[in-house]
Amino acid sequence: MEQKENEGDVKRQAIIDSVQDAVESFETGQRLNVAILTPPFSNFSIMSRDLHSSKGLSIKRHSISSFPEGEPLDEATGTINIIEGCQHLYRMRIGGFAVLKKFIRDINDDDKRLFITVWNANAFRYLDYALGIGKAFPLQVRIPELTLGDIREAIMASYDEDEIQFEYDEFQPRERVIEWMPTRARVFSKDMEIRLPRIESSALRRAILRRKVYLSAEDKVFTQIQYLSRGNLGAAKEIWIRSLQYPVIRPTYVLNACKKFMMDNEEAFVAANILRKGKVPMDELREDLGDQVALDATVATLKQKGIVKGGDGNLSIKAENLGFTLDSLAKHGMV
Amino acid sequence: MEDAILDFLATFSLDIPTLIYLFTVILVAVVAVRVVALTMNILAARFKSQGNKLRMLIPMFKLLVYAGVIFLILTSVFDLGSAEILVFSGLFGAAVGLGLKDVFADMVTGIIIVFEKPYHIGDRVRVEGHYGEVKDMGFRATRILTPDDDLVSVPNLLMFNTPVASTNYGSPHMMVTIDIYTDFDCDRQAVLGVLHEAVVTSRFSTIGNGYPVITLVKDFPYYVRFRVRSYVWEMADEFVYETDITVRAWNELRRMGVRPPRLALPEGIGG
């Protein structure tokens, strides 16, 4: 079966159409700089050839990594510039926002050119709250969470019909609606580790649905993948790869592919910064966060918990655990 | 009146089964209060955003249970008819008038505080020169744990009659004000920028909708005060947060050549 171009972005064309509208508005005199907000593990990329200028304006594509530090816009020589990887314009330390601030200032001042920027959505959200960068981009296009059908379509595109066997488990362990998670709490003036009940809303929802809707093994597998990946295709594919015992896949294989965990403040802080950058060198992280956390120990813990990976000096979030990582970061107010 | 009191006291009866009954009632009440307090504390740790509100159920429950216990004790040891209740009220009123009026006032205001909720258990409050976290709201006093780990008992009447500042009022996040003082000759815009970046890069900060970072500057005759108002995610990290911002900001300010205020002496003094 033929793979779709850029299969990671099922809704890619709709995004490009929005950007094309911004190009056409620019040609008629209305400049709307664009921020395309991509989720983690997205391989979204927009090429010069994806856009068209009826007035023949030059469209050029650049990546932040190709710009000399401090002068990103001097190299952006097109009238319409696509700039990718904008989450790398800042460093998470005092003095680390100078390049980004100049970039935003220059974009605002330059009314002769249109800028189409691509950002990690988590980084953009943080920077918008911290520095208010959202005002510089009147048009913000967010790649939406994928639906069950989108994920199924994207994953199954790689296989022939009936190639994969979806099976129910012979023995289906009862899904627990209440999970007891270890956590630190202050009880009777003492800090202690206790197990706290946590209601698994998805399990509860499934427990209720089970009485009403019959799910085939295939539906159940993809429902679980969609929930565990939070609609993120990169995460969904990783969960699929880890669950599939070719050619068989079962719902329990999917559940076993992901790991549950909790993070303390230091771990969440480091994980959030890795998530925002997508992939970040350990040395960069040490320079930026080293004065706030015991970085080596924290990264070691994150690896041991299955949250972060990286053997080549670059750290990234483990895709299969994205859902639980986002849950935990939300508890620390970091996403 | 004397006869009425004697009649009332004559209804007093205390035998072994009654003693066992009372002991059991008190024990059950104490255990129930402890269990509820423990459960609420655990739930508060789990549901942080509602934590302080959940903890407020502890004093309410305590109030109900202990009121019930007092009622059970009275009805067990006294045979209370309407005349006896009248006499008891008289005795009680006399006791209050003679020496227990402050205790009684503390109890009544304690009840009002529990229902009016000017602050919650877990809030950071400032009252009468004391600052700290409300650990418990008892019948007689509210207990505040100061940052120096002193447990201060403030009578409820005082909590009721004096202004109490609750810095977070039920929210787990609270605004923290941090001041930095510098020499007069400094680039004010640059210092404000450093303070802002110190906040947004701190692992303790709450960055988001409804949690603005506000930086302010005020000139004084011989120094400049820079002030940043921002929110800490975990209330318990208030002072660590303040330290984090101050230390990291000063590291950067020193690198930029900004100095702390210098002692200004009139000409001719100090060489």
Side-chain angles (χ1 to χ4, degrees), chain A residues 92-97 101 126 129-131 185 187 194 196-198 265-266 269 291-293 330-334, chain B residues 34 37-38 41-42 45-46 135 145 193-194 196-198 200-205 207-209 233 237 244 248-249 252:
Chain A
M92 189 67 178
R93 59 182 155 135
I94 303 174
F97 298 91
K101 284 177 180 173
Y126 162 72
Y129 285 139
L131 303 173
V187 180
I194 51 172
L196 295 180
R198 188 168 83 170
N265 172 274
E266 284 194 26
F269 183 59
D291 60 347
Q292 291 199 64
V293 294
K331 287 194 171 74
H332 292 276
M334 292 186 188
Chain B
R34 285 285 168 103
L38 180 66
N41 279 324
I42 289 174
R46 171 73 181 83
K135 299 302 286 184
L145 187 69
V194 166
H196 186 272
E197 290 186 11
V200 299
T201 56
S202 172
R203 69 187 172 98
F204 302 107
S205 286
I207 306 291
N209 240 346
W233 182 256
D237 292 328
D244 175 61
R248 288 191 308 113
E252 183 66 13

Tab-separated table of all heavy atoms in Angstrom, chain A residues 92-97 101 126 129-131 185 187 194 196-198 265-266 269 291-293 330-334, chain B residues 34 37-38 41-42 45-46 135 145 193-194 196-198 200-205 207-209 233 237 244 248-249 252:
chain	number	residue	atom	x	y	z
A	92	MET	N	16.253	28.519	28.413
A	92	MET	CA	15.500	28.625	29.665
A	92	MET	C	16.396	29.127	30.804
A	92	MET	O	16.667	28.406	31.765
A	92	MET	CB	14.909	27.241	29.991
A	92	MET	CG	13.931	27.213	31.117
A	92	MET	SD	12.437	28.104	30.701
A	92	MET	CE	11.490	27.823	32.194
A	93	ARG	N	16.883	30.327	30.673
A	93	ARG	CA	17.695	30.913	31.739
A	93	ARG	C	17.620	32.431	31.635
A	93	ARG	O	17.214	32.962	30.584
A	93	ARG	CB	19.137	30.441	31.624
A	93	ARG	CG	19.759	30.804	30.296
A	93	ARG	CD	21.165	30.274	30.205
A	93	ARG	NE	21.500	30.106	28.817
A	93	ARG	CZ	22.653	30.482	28.276
A	93	ARG	NH1	23.567	31.023	28.995
A	93	ARG	NH2	22.874	30.302	27.000
A	94	ILE	N	18.059	33.094	32.686
A	94	ILE	CA	18.042	34.561	32.642
A	94	ILE	C	18.997	34.995	31.532
A	94	ILE	O	20.137	34.533	31.471
A	94	ILE	CB	18.483	35.153	33.995
A	94	ILE	CG1	17.589	34.645	35.126
A	94	ILE	CG2	18.471	36.671	33.938
A	94	ILE	CD1	18.037	35.063	36.511
A	95	GLY	N	18.534	35.854	30.669
A	95	GLY	CA	19.346	36.280	29.537
A	95	GLY	C	19.172	35.389	28.313
A	95	GLY	O	19.733	35.659	27.257
A	96	GLY	N	18.383	34.341	28.479
A	96	GLY	CA	18.217	33.382	27.387
A	96	GLY	C	17.110	33.747	26.403
A	96	GLY	O	16.827	32.977	25.480
A	97	PHE	N	16.486	34.901	26.599
A	97	PHE	CA	15.358	35.264	25.733
A	97	PHE	C	15.707	36.407	24.763
A	97	PHE	O	14.842	36.884	24.043
A	97	PHE	CB	14.153	35.686	26.589
A	97	PHE	CG	13.642	34.584	27.472
A	97	PHE	CD1	14.125	34.429	28.754
A	97	PHE	CD2	12.705	33.679	27.009
A	97	PHE	CE1	13.681	33.404	29.571
A	97	PHE	CE2	12.256	32.645	27.810
A	97	PHE	CZ	12.746	32.509	29.099
A	101	LYS	N	13.358	37.752	21.787
A	101	LYS	CA	12.752	39.090	21.895
A	101	LYS	C	13.082	39.925	20.663
A	101	LYS	O	12.235	40.645	20.136
A	101	LYS	CB	13.253	39.789	23.161
A	101	LYS	CG	12.602	39.263	24.437
A	101	LYS	CD	13.183	39.945	25.660
A	101	LYS	CE	12.555	39.448	26.934
A	101	LYS	NZ	13.226	39.975	28.131
A	126	TYR	N	3.978	28.282	26.533
A	126	TYR	CA	4.786	28.805	27.639
A	126	TYR	C	5.270	30.229	27.321
A	126	TYR	O	5.148	31.142	28.149
A	126	TYR	CB	5.974	27.866	27.900
A	126	TYR	CG	7.075	28.520	28.689
A	126	TYR	CD1	6.917	28.791	30.043
A	126	TYR	CD2	8.264	28.910	28.070
A	126	TYR	CE1	7.920	29.432	30.763
A	126	TYR	CE2	9.265	29.541	28.777
A	126	TYR	CZ	9.086	29.802	30.120
A	126	TYR	OH	10.073	30.439	30.818
A	129	TYR	N	2.569	32.911	27.548
A	129	TYR	CA	2.289	33.312	28.924
A	129	TYR	C	3.443	34.125	29.516
A	129	TYR	O	3.232	35.091	30.231
A	129	TYR	CB	2.038	32.092	29.803
A	129	TYR	CG	0.690	31.439	29.591
A	129	TYR	CD1	0.564	30.055	29.568
A	129	TYR	CD2	-0.462	32.202	29.443
A	129	TYR	CE1	-0.672	29.451	29.383
A	129	TYR	CE2	-1.695	31.610	29.259
A	129	TYR	CZ	-1.795	30.232	29.224
A	129	TYR	OH	-3.011	29.659	29.042
A	130	ALA	N	4.670	33.699	29.199
A	130	ALA	CA	5.828	34.335	29.830
A	130	ALA	C	6.148	35.687	29.200
A	130	ALA	O	6.496	36.638	29.897
A	130	ALA	CB	7.044	33.414	29.738
A	131	LEU	N	6.038	35.780	27.862
A	131	LEU	CA	6.479	36.994	27.174
A	131	LEU	C	5.399	37.615	26.291
A	131	LEU	O	5.622	38.669	25.695
A	131	LEU	CB	7.705	36.685	26.291
A	131	LEU	CG	8.927	36.075	26.992
A	131	LEU	CD1	9.966	35.686	25.963
A	131	LEU	CD2	9.535	37.052	27.976
A	185	ALA	N	2.957	12.833	50.839
A	185	ALA	CA	1.954	13.745	51.389
A	185	ALA	C	2.326	14.052	52.833
A	185	ALA	O	3.117	13.338	53.464
A	185	ALA	CB	0.577	13.108	51.329
A	187	VAL	N	1.161	14.100	56.394
A	187	VAL	CA	0.118	13.537	57.244
A	187	VAL	C	0.585	13.632	58.698
A	187	VAL	O	1.684	13.182	59.020
A	187	VAL	CB	-0.142	12.054	56.874
A	187	VAL	CG1	-1.224	11.469	57.765
A	187	VAL	CG2	-0.547	11.928	55.414
A	194	ILE	N	2.645	7.706	50.770
A	194	ILE	CA	1.423	6.926	50.951
A	194	ILE	C	0.835	6.625	49.572
A	194	ILE	O	1.203	7.257	48.596
A	194	ILE	CB	0.380	7.683	51.803
A	194	ILE	CG1	0.169	9.084	51.256
A	194	ILE	CG2	0.768	7.724	53.255
A	194	ILE	CD1	-0.952	9.830	51.902
A	196	LEU	N	-2.230	6.872	47.275
A	196	LEU	CA	-3.483	7.617	47.194
A	196	LEU	C	-4.353	7.059	46.079
A	196	LEU	O	-3.839	6.666	45.025
A	196	LEU	CB	-3.201	9.086	46.908
A	196	LEU	CG	-2.458	9.842	47.988
A	196	LEU	CD1	-2.248	11.280	47.566
A	196	LEU	CD2	-3.240	9.808	49.291
A	197	PRO	N	-5.644	7.046	46.305
A	197	PRO	CA	-6.517	6.539	45.237
A	197	PRO	C	-6.621	7.542	44.098
A	197	PRO	O	-6.653	8.748	44.334
A	197	PRO	CB	-7.872	6.392	45.940
A	197	PRO	CG	-7.812	7.350	47.071
A	197	PRO	CD	-6.379	7.474	47.485
A	198	ARG	N	-6.602	7.037	42.894
A	198	ARG	CA	-6.807	7.908	41.745
A	198	ARG	C	-7.848	7.251	40.844
A	198	ARG	O	-7.696	6.093	40.463
A	198	ARG	CB	-5.507	8.100	40.980
A	198	ARG	CG	-5.665	9.150	39.890
A	198	ARG	CD	-4.361	9.569	39.322
A	198	ARG	NE	-3.904	8.647	38.299
A	198	ARG	CZ	-2.869	8.884	37.508
A	198	ARG	NH1	-2.157	9.966	37.682
A	198	ARG	NH2	-2.523	8.035	36.587
A	265	ASN	N	8.737	17.984	41.613
A	265	ASN	CA	8.861	19.279	40.941
A	265	ASN	C	10.097	19.357	40.038
A	265	ASN	O	10.026	19.837	38.907
A	265	ASN	CB	8.886	20.385	42.006
A	265	ASN	CG	9.203	21.738	41.424
A	265	ASN	OD1	10.370	22.083	41.279
A	265	ASN	ND2	8.185	22.497	41.049
A	266	GLU	N	11.238	18.871	40.533
A	266	GLU	CA	12.472	18.949	39.739
A	266	GLU	C	12.349	18.118	38.469
A	266	GLU	O	12.737	18.555	37.381
A	266	GLU	CB	13.669	18.446	40.552
A	266	GLU	CG	14.151	19.430	41.581
A	266	GLU	CD	15.521	19.078	42.151
A	266	GLU	OE1	16.308	18.416	41.475
A	266	GLU	OE2	15.787	19.469	43.297
A	269	PHE	N	10.032	19.800	36.018
A	269	PHE	CA	10.659	20.989	35.427
A	269	PHE	C	11.582	20.594	34.274
A	269	PHE	O	11.522	21.175	33.187
A	269	PHE	CB	11.443	21.718	36.522
A	269	PHE	CG	12.093	22.991	36.087
A	269	PHE	CD1	11.352	24.033	35.567
A	269	PHE	CD2	13.460	23.163	36.218
A	269	PHE	CE1	11.955	25.221	35.175
A	269	PHE	CE2	14.069	24.338	35.831
A	269	PHE	CZ	13.319	25.366	35.314
A	291	ASP	N	21.581	25.491	37.429
A	291	ASP	CA	21.599	26.247	38.691
A	291	ASP	C	20.310	26.056	39.495
A	291	ASP	O	20.171	26.591	40.584
A	291	ASP	CB	21.841	27.744	38.423
A	291	ASP	CG	20.763	28.361	37.546
A	291	ASP	OD1	19.984	27.586	36.952
A	291	ASP	OD2	20.687	29.595	37.457
A	292	GLN	N	19.372	25.297	38.940
A	292	GLN	CA	18.113	25.101	39.674
A	292	GLN	C	17.890	23.662	40.114
A	292	GLN	O	17.149	23.418	41.064
A	292	GLN	CB	16.929	25.518	38.793
A	292	GLN	CG	16.862	26.999	38.543
A	292	GLN	CD	15.463	27.405	38.094
A	292	GLN	OE1	14.503	27.278	38.831
A	292	GLN	NE2	15.357	27.891	36.890
A	293	VAL	N	18.461	22.726	39.389
A	293	VAL	CA	18.231	21.311	39.730
A	293	VAL	C	19.545	20.533	39.674
A	293	VAL	O	20.480	20.941	38.986
A	293	VAL	CB	17.219	20.645	38.763
A	293	VAL	CG1	15.849	21.229	38.886
A	293	VAL	CG2	17.694	20.744	37.328
A	330	ALA	N	0.890	18.432	34.029
A	330	ALA	CA	-0.270	19.293	34.304
A	330	ALA	C	-0.437	19.478	35.818
A	330	ALA	O	-0.808	20.560	36.282
A	330	ALA	CB	-1.521	18.693	33.697
A	331	LYS	N	-0.141	18.446	36.570
A	331	LYS	CA	-0.259	18.554	38.036
A	331	LYS	C	0.738	19.560	38.605
A	331	LYS	O	0.548	20.091	39.687
A	331	LYS	CB	-0.034	17.190	38.680
A	331	LYS	CG	-1.189	16.245	38.475
A	331	LYS	CD	-1.087	15.054	39.402
A	331	LYS	CE	-2.343	14.233	39.361
A	331	LYS	NZ	-2.498	13.449	38.144
A	332	HIS	N	1.830	19.780	37.868
A	332	HIS	CA	2.831	20.752	38.315
A	332	HIS	C	2.680	22.086	37.582
A	332	HIS	O	3.549	22.949	37.688
A	332	HIS	CB	4.239	20.189	38.099
A	332	HIS	CG	4.556	19.033	38.997
A	332	HIS	ND1	5.019	19.203	40.283
A	332	HIS	CD2	4.454	17.703	38.814
A	332	HIS	CE1	5.195	18.018	40.840
A	332	HIS	NE2	4.864	17.089	39.985
A	333	GLY	N	1.603	22.227	36.831
A	333	GLY	CA	1.347	23.482	36.122
A	333	GLY	C	2.362	23.777	35.034
A	333	GLY	O	2.643	24.927	34.746
A	334	MET	N	2.921	22.748	34.422
A	334	MET	CA	3.990	22.983	33.446
A	334	MET	C	3.592	22.697	31.999
A	334	MET	O	4.434	22.751	31.114
A	334	MET	CB	5.221	22.175	33.832
A	334	MET	CG	5.843	22.705	35.121
A	334	MET	SD	7.359	21.925	35.556
A	334	MET	CE	7.645	22.618	37.189
B	34	ARG	N	-10.308	11.979	64.163
B	34	ARG	CA	-8.978	11.678	63.608
B	34	ARG	C	-9.079	11.085	62.199
B	34	ARG	O	-8.327	11.456	61.299
B	34	ARG	CB	-8.232	10.677	64.510
B	34	ARG	CG	-7.684	11.281	65.790
B	34	ARG	CD	-6.439	12.108	65.473
B	34	ARG	NE	-6.059	12.922	66.587
B	34	ARG	CZ	-5.044	12.634	67.389
B	34	ARG	NH1	-4.332	11.546	67.174
B	34	ARG	NH2	-4.738	13.422	68.379
B	37	ALA	N	-10.108	13.714	59.764
B	37	ALA	CA	-8.988	14.643	59.529
B	37	ALA	C	-7.957	14.002	58.602
B	37	ALA	O	-7.469	14.639	57.652
B	37	ALA	CB	-8.348	15.025	60.854
B	38	LEU	N	-7.651	12.729	58.864
B	38	LEU	CA	-6.667	12.027	58.028
B	38	LEU	C	-7.164	11.905	56.588
B	38	LEU	O	-6.434	12.188	55.627
B	38	LEU	CB	-6.396	10.630	58.617
B	38	LEU	CG	-5.385	9.767	57.861
B	38	LEU	CD1	-4.000	10.383	57.938
B	38	LEU	CD2	-5.339	8.357	58.438
B	41	ASN	N	-7.059	15.234	54.852
B	41	ASN	CA	-5.685	15.627	54.521
B	41	ASN	C	-5.177	14.852	53.311
B	41	ASN	O	-4.493	15.405	52.450
B	41	ASN	CB	-4.756	15.400	55.716
B	41	ASN	CG	-4.866	16.538	56.716
B	41	ASN	OD1	-5.033	17.691	56.343
B	41	ASN	ND2	-4.806	16.212	57.990
B	42	ILE	N	-5.520	13.566	53.249
B	42	ILE	CA	-5.092	12.747	52.104
B	42	ILE	C	-5.775	13.240	50.828
B	42	ILE	O	-5.134	13.425	49.796
B	42	ILE	CB	-5.403	11.250	52.353
B	42	ILE	CG1	-4.451	10.709	53.420
B	42	ILE	CG2	-5.271	10.440	51.072
B	42	ILE	CD1	-4.737	9.297	53.864
B	45	ALA	N	-4.279	16.416	49.671
B	45	ALA	CA	-3.000	16.222	48.970
B	45	ALA	C	-3.241	15.732	47.547
B	45	ALA	O	-2.496	16.057	46.628
B	45	ALA	CB	-2.135	15.223	49.732
B	46	ARG	N	-4.317	14.967	47.372
B	46	ARG	CA	-4.607	14.403	46.050
B	46	ARG	C	-5.227	15.469	45.119
B	46	ARG	O	-4.815	15.635	43.994
B	46	ARG	CB	-5.561	13.213	46.218
B	46	ARG	CG	-6.128	12.647	44.943
B	46	ARG	CD	-5.071	11.877	44.163
B	46	ARG	NE	-5.598	11.352	42.922
B	46	ARG	CZ	-5.706	12.052	41.806
B	46	ARG	NH1	-5.324	13.312	41.781
B	46	ARG	NH2	-6.172	11.508	40.705
B	135	LYS	N	-2.808	25.668	60.548
B	135	LYS	CA	-2.726	24.206	60.648
B	135	LYS	C	-4.014	23.610	61.197
B	135	LYS	O	-4.368	22.493	60.877
B	135	LYS	CB	-1.555	23.784	61.567
B	135	LYS	CG	-0.199	24.219	61.089
B	135	LYS	CD	0.141	23.699	59.713
B	135	LYS	CE	0.489	22.234	59.677
B	135	LYS	NZ	0.909	21.830	58.323
B	145	LEU	N	1.319	27.775	61.955
B	145	LEU	CA	2.713	27.320	61.929
B	145	LEU	C	3.537	28.361	61.185
B	145	LEU	O	3.323	28.616	60.002
B	145	LEU	CB	2.827	25.960	61.234
B	145	LEU	CG	4.198	25.304	61.292
B	145	LEU	CD1	4.537	24.864	62.715
B	145	LEU	CD2	4.272	24.104	60.356
B	193	GLY	N	14.019	43.585	33.491
B	193	GLY	CA	14.057	42.442	32.568
B	193	GLY	C	14.638	41.209	33.238
B	193	GLY	O	14.115	40.095	33.076
B	194	VAL	N	15.688	41.410	34.012
B	194	VAL	CA	16.314	40.269	34.713
B	194	VAL	C	15.325	39.664	35.707
B	194	VAL	O	15.178	38.437	35.794
B	194	VAL	CB	17.610	40.730	35.433
B	194	VAL	CG1	18.078	39.675	36.432
B	194	VAL	CG2	18.702	41.011	34.417
B	196	HIS	N	12.078	39.760	35.645
B	196	HIS	CA	11.006	39.075	34.911
B	196	HIS	C	11.482	37.705	34.429
B	196	HIS	O	10.795	36.688	34.599
B	196	HIS	CB	10.562	39.943	33.728
B	196	HIS	CG	9.377	39.395	33.010
B	196	HIS	ND1	9.508	38.492	31.980
B	196	HIS	CD2	8.041	39.573	33.183
B	196	HIS	CE1	8.305	38.157	31.548
B	196	HIS	NE2	7.401	38.806	32.269
B	197	GLU	N	12.686	37.673	33.890
B	197	GLU	CA	13.201	36.398	33.374
B	197	GLU	C	13.526	35.429	34.508
B	197	GLU	O	13.396	34.211	34.339
B	197	GLU	CB	14.423	36.646	32.483
B	197	GLU	CG	14.033	37.317	31.170
B	197	GLU	CD	15.173	37.461	30.185
B	197	GLU	OE1	16.245	36.864	30.401
B	197	GLU	OE2	14.987	38.182	29.190
B	198	ALA	N	13.943	35.962	35.645
B	198	ALA	CA	14.201	35.083	36.799
B	198	ALA	C	12.906	34.375	37.198
B	198	ALA	O	12.910	33.182	37.545
B	198	ALA	CB	14.746	35.893	37.972
B	200	VAL	N	10.101	33.846	35.184
B	200	VAL	CA	9.537	32.924	34.178
B	200	VAL	C	10.409	31.695	33.957
B	200	VAL	O	9.959	30.725	33.352
B	200	VAL	CB	9.228	33.624	32.828
B	200	VAL	CG1	8.209	34.718	33.014
B	200	VAL	CG2	10.482	34.137	32.144
B	201	THR	N	11.650	31.740	34.423
B	201	THR	CA	12.493	30.547	34.286
B	201	THR	C	12.574	29.743	35.577
B	201	THR	O	13.276	28.737	35.631
B	201	THR	CB	13.936	30.926	33.859
B	201	THR	OG1	14.463	31.858	34.808
B	201	THR	CG2	13.973	31.528	32.477
B	202	SER	N	11.869	30.178	36.606
B	202	SER	CA	11.959	29.455	37.886
B	202	SER	C	11.082	28.212	37.865
B	202	SER	O	9.965	28.225	37.349
B	202	SER	CB	11.507	30.361	39.031
B	202	SER	OG	11.419	29.604	40.221
B	203	ARG	N	11.588	27.169	38.456
B	203	ARG	CA	10.815	25.917	38.482
B	203	ARG	C	9.663	25.983	39.478
B	203	ARG	O	8.824	25.094	39.519
B	203	ARG	CB	11.718	24.726	38.797
B	203	ARG	CG	12.276	24.660	40.198
B	203	ARG	CD	13.283	23.518	40.289
B	203	ARG	NE	13.988	23.501	41.545
B	203	ARG	CZ	13.670	22.730	42.572
B	203	ARG	NH1	12.623	21.944	42.501
B	203	ARG	NH2	14.394	22.754	43.675
B	204	PHE	N	9.624	27.033	40.281
B	204	PHE	CA	8.552	27.146	41.272
B	204	PHE	C	7.408	28.043	40.790
B	204	PHE	O	6.366	28.123	41.436
B	204	PHE	CB	9.099	27.715	42.584
B	204	PHE	CG	10.214	26.896	43.177
B	204	PHE	CD1	11.522	27.344	43.135
B	204	PHE	CD2	9.956	25.673	43.764
B	204	PHE	CE1	12.547	26.583	43.667
B	204	PHE	CE2	10.974	24.904	44.298
B	204	PHE	CZ	12.281	25.361	44.249
B	205	SER	N	7.613	28.739	39.679
B	205	SER	CA	6.633	29.747	39.242
B	205	SER	C	5.356	29.140	38.669
B	205	SER	O	5.380	28.050	38.103
B	205	SER	CB	7.245	30.627	38.149
B	205	SER	OG	8.161	31.512	38.693
B	207	ILE	N	3.062	29.993	35.748
B	207	ILE	CA	3.002	30.835	34.555
B	207	ILE	C	1.729	30.442	33.813
B	207	ILE	O	1.576	29.303	33.410
B	207	ILE	CB	4.215	30.586	33.635
B	207	ILE	CG1	5.539	30.757	34.390
B	207	ILE	CG2	4.175	31.483	32.403
B	207	ILE	CD1	5.850	32.159	34.793
B	208	GLY	N	0.822	31.366	33.645
B	208	GLY	CA	-0.399	31.006	32.918
B	208	GLY	C	-1.445	32.084	33.037
B	208	GLY	O	-1.211	33.147	33.626
B	209	ASN	N	-2.596	31.770	32.484
B	209	ASN	CA	-3.717	32.701	32.507
B	209	ASN	C	-4.117	33.017	33.943
B	209	ASN	O	-4.308	32.113	34.744
B	209	ASN	CB	-4.906	32.041	31.810
B	209	ASN	CG	-5.340	32.841	30.623
B	209	ASN	OD1	-4.932	33.996	30.467
B	209	ASN	ND2	-6.166	32.252	29.782
B	233	TRP	N	3.740	28.058	42.514
B	233	TRP	CA	2.811	26.948	42.260
B	233	TRP	C	2.393	26.262	43.543
B	233	TRP	O	1.223	26.044	43.809
B	233	TRP	CB	3.452	25.954	41.291
B	233	TRP	CG	2.563	24.807	40.945
B	233	TRP	CD1	2.657	23.536	41.425
B	233	TRP	CD2	1.423	24.813	40.078
B	233	TRP	NE1	1.647	22.761	40.898
B	233	TRP	CE2	0.877	23.519	40.063
B	233	TRP	CE3	0.824	25.801	39.293
B	233	TRP	CZ2	-0.234	23.174	39.313
B	233	TRP	CZ3	-0.286	25.463	38.546
B	233	TRP	CH2	-0.807	24.163	38.563
B	237	ASP	N	6.355	26.220	48.886
B	237	ASP	CA	7.652	26.620	48.338
B	237	ASP	C	7.869	28.128	48.387
B	237	ASP	O	8.808	28.629	47.758
B	237	ASP	CB	7.775	26.136	46.877
B	237	ASP	CG	7.871	24.630	46.784
B	237	ASP	OD1	8.426	24.018	47.712
B	237	ASP	OD2	7.387	24.060	45.796
B	244	ASP	N	15.217	31.465	45.434
B	244	ASP	CA	15.623	31.106	44.063
B	244	ASP	C	15.680	32.346	43.174
B	244	ASP	O	16.660	32.582	42.466
B	244	ASP	CB	14.629	30.079	43.507
B	244	ASP	CG	14.888	29.748	42.054
B	244	ASP	OD1	15.990	29.252	41.760
B	244	ASP	OD2	14.008	29.999	41.207
B	248	ARG	N	19.337	33.909	41.852
B	248	ARG	CA	19.620	33.859	40.410
B	248	ARG	C	19.610	35.252	39.793
B	248	ARG	O	20.412	35.561	38.922
B	248	ARG	CB	18.632	32.929	39.704
B	248	ARG	CG	18.901	31.450	40.028
B	248	ARG	CD	18.130	30.478	39.174
B	248	ARG	NE	16.707	30.747	39.157
B	248	ARG	CZ	16.039	31.147	38.094
B	248	ARG	NH1	16.651	31.300	36.946
B	248	ARG	NH2	14.743	31.383	38.175
B	249	ALA	N	18.705	36.099	40.290
B	249	ALA	CA	18.667	37.475	39.761
B	249	ALA	C	19.968	38.208	40.111
B	249	ALA	O	20.570	38.862	39.259
B	249	ALA	CB	17.465	38.220	40.321
B	252	GLU	N	22.962	37.301	37.978
B	252	GLU	CA	22.945	37.957	36.680
B	252	GLU	C	23.234	39.463	36.824
B	252	GLU	O	23.968	40.043	36.025
B	252	GLU	CB	21.574	37.733	36.010
B	252	GLU	CG	21.417	38.291	34.624
B	252	GLU	CD	22.313	37.623	33.568
B	252	GLU	OE1	22.887	36.551	33.870
B	252	GLU	OE2	22.458	38.210	32.482
